Amino acid sequence: MPAVAKDFVPVLVATGGSTRVHKAVAPRFRAGDHVLVRTMTPEHHTRLPRYARGRRGIVEQDHGVFVFPDTSAHGQGEKPQHVYSVRFTARELWGPQASERDTLRLDLWDDYLDLVV
Amino acid sequence: MSGHSHTAPPSDPELRIKALESLLVEKKLINPDAIDAIIETYETKIGPRNGARVVARAWVDPEYKARLLADGTKAIAELGFTGVQGEDMVVVENTDEVHNVVVCTLCSCYPWPTLGLPPVWYKAAPYRARVVSDPRGVLLEFGTRLSDDVEVRVWDSNAELRYLVLPQRPEGTEGWSEDRLAALVSRDSMIGTAVVPAQGAAS
């Protein structure tokens, strides 16, 4: 891979590179679904923060399809899937000393979630 | 005269970075001219003034604001701000009921085209670890006290979306021009650790 040349910097800075994938992939969830974040302790790269594992939230928005970092970071393919904004109450994450009013939004991939029925 | 006239050696992280950089250059993986151009771009061309322009436009133009909240990436691009770490933008609005604050707990994800490079505290473990579990306490340390009636909504941006907070337009700015409004908007108010203070004579 050749190094980026100085002249290319403005182009690179201005265009970036989205990890959005323009492919039709079926979503596993939709807005309003109650979900449980999977408990896992992987050795590999992940974007699933520890504090959310095993916690319950509600899918608020579907952001569309993105490359899955847990595989792509290791050269194991894009495994494109939906990313959702999931709403958690502060109390679900931090316990009774947290404010009853406060909430947190975290963007999570399909493979991090299970449906709560 | 003290005997300490020599220059102190660089810190460990500084030495590590120099070693890494010279290795990458030697192996022709990076080009030092390109690195300098990137640094210059974010030191002099791209920074939180961009985000302030977006906020000021939203404050004066309700239709722009609606577009901004519906599709942040597209509406921000209307003002010419696009690129690395701004490919997929979400703008979240502060209201009387909700105060938004942004963090990246796993690293330091940040919307570069609108805010430039992140401040040191944003990348530091104490902010990243604490603002999720005790946002009100952390905001208080920034001098921002929020009423118990307001929901604090933390956005942890570890995935591919980047977040910009649209602060509330302060009182005392009726009829102000977009430029004058933009000058009021601080970087921290667009991260959510600050609010834009009310203007006008103290009473």
Side-chain angles (χ1 to χ4, degrees):
Chain A
M1 194 176 70
V4 169
K6 185 185 173 187
D7 295 345
F8 189 62
V9 168
V11 180
L12 184 75
V13 165
T15 53
S18 176
T19 54
R20 193 181 282 281
V21 178
H22 296 279
K23 239 182 228 174
V25 175
R28 288 182 54 228
F29 308 98
R30 53 187 178 192
D33 279 351
H34 289 243
V35 286
L36 175 67
V37 182
R38 289 181 182 167
T39 297
M40 52 170 102
T41 313
E43 297 277 317
H44 57 70
H45 176 79
T46 185
R47 304 281 185 85
L48 173 54
R50 223 166 264 260
Y51 71 79
R53 297 176 194 169
R55 305 296 178 182
R56 283 161 193 258
I58 297 176
V59 172
E60 201 162 65
Q61 200 194 333
D62 184 342
H63 288 303
V65 179
F66 288 84
V67 169
F68 188 50
D70 298 44
T71 50
S72 74
H74 301 281
Q76 291 165 3
E78 294 194 344
K79 208 181 176 191
Q81 51 191 273
H82 285 254
V83 173
Y84 311 88
S85 178
V86 180
R87 176 173 82 237
F88 298 90
T89 64
R91 290 207 166 161
E92 169 70 8
L93 297 173
W94 315 110
Q97 91 288 350
S99 157
E100 193 178 16
R101 205 174 287 277
D102 296 348
T103 60
L104 180 139
R105 301 290 183 288
L106 179 62
D107 296 324
L108 297 170
W109 275 262
D110 259 325
D111 276 7
Y112 298 158
L113 300 168
D114 285 309
L115 191 67
V116 176
V117 280
Chain B
M1 292 288 288
S2 83
H4 291 278
S5 56
H6 58 269
T7 311
S11 66
D12 281 354
E14 233 172 300
L15 288 171
R16 204 176 308 141
I17 288 163
K18 280 176 196 292
L20 269 173
E21 188 178 346
S22 50
L23 257 177
L24 290 166
V25 171
E26 270 172 42
K27 289 180 179 293
K28 299 196 191 313
L29 290 169
I30 61 169
N31 174 342
D33 290 348
I35 299 289
D36 289 345
I38 290 170
I39 291 169
E40 198 206 323
T41 301
Y42 287 101
E43 276 182 348
T44 63
K45 296 189 182 122
I46 301 178
R49 291 303 94 212
N50 292 2
R53 302 238 50 106
V54 173
V55 169
R57 175 67 56 89
W59 282 348
V60 300
D61 182 345
E63 285 175 18
Y64 180 75
K65 179 176 152 182
R67 292 201 296 281
L68 186 66
L69 296 175
D71 185 340
T73 316
K74 215 187 250 180
I76 290 168
E78 283 180 40
L79 303 193
F81 310 131
T82 59
V84 176
Q85 291 297 311
E87 295 95 341
D88 295 283
M89 289 293 300
V90 176
V91 178
V92 292
E93 183 188 17
N94 284 350
T95 65
D96 289 340
E97 288 81 37
V98 176
H99 179 91
N100 297 283
V101 58
V102 182
V103 62
C104 173
T105 58
L106 294 182
C107 49
S108 55
C109 299
Y110 193 71
W112 293 4
T114 40
L115 295 187
L117 297 181
V120 171
W121 56 260
Y122 184 89
K123 297 184 277 185
Y127 176 75
R128 289 159 45 209
R130 287 184 53 227
V131 78
V132 278
S133 61
D134 181 22
R136 289 171 190 270
V138 171
L139 288 179
L140 208 52
E141 289 168 20
F142 277 90
T144 305
R145 183 185 294 276
L146 295 172
S147 154
D148 289 344
D149 300 341
V150 175
E151 172 193 334
V152 179
R153 196 173 286 178
V154 178
W155 298 82
D156 187 358
S157 65
N158 299 306
E160 310 298 358
L161 291 303
R162 298 290 170 264
Y163 293 88
L164 183 77
V165 174
L166 175 59
Q168 283 187 285
R169 180 170 175 166
E171 285 178 22
T173 60
E174 294 75 16
W176 283 31
S177 72
E178 212 175 306
D179 283 349
R180 199 172 166 204
L181 287 168
L184 283 183
V185 181
S186 66
R187 175 195 69 200
D188 290 3
S189 73
M190 295 180 279
I191 301 173
T193 51
V195 297
V196 183
Q199 301 297 301
S203 54

